[in-house]
Amino acid sequence: MMDRRFIQLYDEFTHGTLPRREFLSRLAYLAGGAAAAAVVLPLLENRYAEAATVAPDDPALATGRESFDAGGAVSCYVARLKTGPARRAAVIVIHENRGLNPHIEDVARRAAQAGFLAIAPDALSGSGGTPANEDEARKLIGALPRETSLAIYLAAVRYAASHPQSSGKVG
């Protein structure tokens, strides 16, 4: 079982403002040295491919990238069942501070499996999209003005309501 102090430290790093250098220094201290920290770190980091609940190529789902306007083009990941009603209630999947990453795409696929039209906007579209590096994504999210973020998600609701596969009901 993982020592809870490692998990708390990692949470402070990933969800707070703890710089990477300070995180690694504290992790080395808790683990008993840099070599031990190097062994612990991969156990704490996200492994999206192993954590996926619904495969990206699930044959029951239609998935892909679309875009809508929110004062600029916003990319989004869209997922829905291939069979069933032509129009269905839509769900906006809002990402965390790491952007529209494989985990959020998986959450959208799970919503689609439950029968929804799932739309996951990338709030970092204006910055070139979510970077693969989570540290960079956190910095970009931190610099995103609240008003911009709000405008993106309000535009996402309008997009979902008018989407050809949407019943007009959005959650």
Side-chain angles (χ1 to χ4, degrees), residues 35 94 118 124 140:
I94 299 174
L124 294 175
L140 291 171

Side-chain angles (χ1 to χ4, degrees), residues 91-149:
V91 172
I92 305 298
V93 180
I94 299 174
H95 62 70
E96 57 208 355
N97 66 348
R98 287 171 276 209
L100 180 55
N101 58 33
H103 168 68
I104 300 303
E105 291 175 357
D106 183 56
V107 172
R109 289 190 299 273
R110 284 184 251 162
Q113 260 189 346
F116 295 97
L117 169 65
I119 299 176
D122 186 353
L124 294 175
S125 292
S127 302
T130 296
N133 180 312
E134 290 185 355
D135 292 333
E136 185 62 28
R138 278 191 291 276
K139 286 179 193 172
L140 291 171
I141 287 287
L144 188 66
R146 181 181 181 277
E147 297 78 23
T148 302
S149 184

Side-chain angles (χ1 to χ4, degrees), residues 9-82:
L9 179 63
Y10 189 71
D11 281 347
E12 184 180 348
F13 169 62
T14 58
H15 302 296
T17 59
L18 184 65
R20 185 169 182 80
R21 183 179 302 258
E22 180 65 21
F23 163 70
L24 293 173
S25 176
R26 289 186 195 178
L27 182 62
Y29 176 79
L30 283 175
V39 172
V40 171
L41 185 58
L43 301 174
L44 294 169
E45 292 178 326
N46 291 319
R47 291 182 289 223
Y48 295 121
E50 294 172 24
T53 303
V54 180
D57 60 352
D58 186 316
L61 298 178
T63 61
R65 297 279 176 179
E66 296 181 14
S67 65
F68 60 89
D69 182 55
V74 175
S75 174
C76 60
Y77 182 77
V78 179
R80 64 174 173 79
L81 286 170
K82 288 180 179 176

